[in-house]
């Protein structure tokens, strides 16, 4: 619970740079993953552990897509500041 609260706080406080905004999202995924493991062990169910093995796969795909978006945005705009990305429409 504490890790997810810190992740939400990190997103709300770091609104200047997109890569820095994506790091708290990864910490919230870590919190979800640890919750899956803890509740799986406490309830003697393997479903939580199987979901916990899928979370890193989703995180890797999210990171790859996010990095591609960062690179394209930097090439087009010349910056990855959030203020300049707010003007994107389409």
């Amino acid at each position: 619970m504490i890790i997810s609260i810190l992740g939400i706080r990190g997103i709300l406080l770091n609104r200047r740079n997109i890569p820095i905004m994506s790091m708290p999202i990864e910490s919230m995924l870590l919190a979800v993953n640890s919750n899956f493991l803890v509740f799986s062990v406490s309830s003697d169910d393997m479903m939580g552990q199987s979901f916990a093995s899928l979370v890193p796969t989703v995180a890797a795909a999210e990171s790859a897509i996010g990095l591609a978006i960062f690179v394209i945005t930097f090439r087009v705009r010349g910056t990855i500041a959030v203020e300049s990305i707010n003007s994107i429409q389409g």
Side-chain angles (χ1 to χ4, degrees):
M1 184 70 179
I2 294 172
I3 298 174
S4 61
I5 291 171
L6 288 175
I8 293 170
R9 183 174 176 254
I11 289 175
L12 294 176
L13 293 179
N14 297 322
R15 291 191 173 183
R16 290 175 292 169
N17 204 350
I18 294 176
I20 293 175
M21 283 177 62
S22 67
M23 288 191 294
I25 295 171
E26 296 297 327
S27 70
M28 287 191 291
L29 279 173
L30 174 69
V32 168
N33 200 14
S34 62
N35 281 335
F36 277 145
L37 290 174
V38 167
F39 289 123
S40 173
V41 169
S42 68
S43 65
D44 289 333
D45 189 18
M46 291 296 291
M47 287 302 291
Q49 293 176 11
S50 62
F51 280 130
S53 66
L54 293 175
V55 169
T57 306
V58 172
E62 172 201 356
S63 297
I65 292 171
L67 183 61
I69 291 171
F70 297 154
V71 169
I72 291 171
T73 304
F74 184 75
R75 284 183 182 172
V76 171
R77 301 258 180 202
T79 183
I80 52 175
V82 177
E83 292 83 21
S84 67
I85 294 176
N86 284 336
S87 64
I88 295 176
Q89 294 180 357

